[in-house]
Amino acid sequence: PENGVFDAVWSPDGHRVASAGNDEIIRVWDAATGKEVWRFTGHARPTNSVQWSPDGRQLLSKGQEAAAYITTPETDAPPVRL
């Protein structure tokens, strides 16, 4: 699908859900309201996977372009490309 979701994971505190999909965007959703609260658009190809850090402060995402990023949702911290 054009905008299909390939992966979705709950944050450790259960308050947010991160999703990775065919549209190359990593999104964070408020689990209570279903509203998008943050997005990362740095991937150049569809994103395959996303995972929260144990403390829920950062996300690791992997795209089909063979790049992975560490991002810090809801902050202005620059992403780290791996």
Side-chain angles (χ1 to χ4, degrees):
E2 184 176 322
N3 290 322
V5 173
F6 294 135
D7 195 13
V9 291
W10 289 91
S11 63
D13 65 8
H15 294 192
R16 298 171 292 169
V17 175
S19 64
N22 199 42
D23 62 1
E24 305 168 5
I25 300 172
I26 300 297
R27 290 181 168 85
V28 174
W29 308 88
D30 181 292
T33 65
K35 293 184 179 182
E36 182 181 313
V37 295
W38 182 85
R39 67 171 46 195
F40 172 64
T41 59
H43 285 281
R45 303 270 324 264
T47 53
N48 297 345
S49 62
V50 63
Q51 184 62 50
W52 290 97
S53 61
D55 65 7
R57 293 182 182 174
Q58 295 179 310
L59 286 170
L60 173 66
S61 59
K62 164 79 174 62
Q64 291 179 8
E65 78 274 19
Y69 289 90
I70 296 173
T71 52
T72 308
E74 303 171 41
T75 72
D76 293 328
V80 176
R81 186 170 194 245
L82 305 175

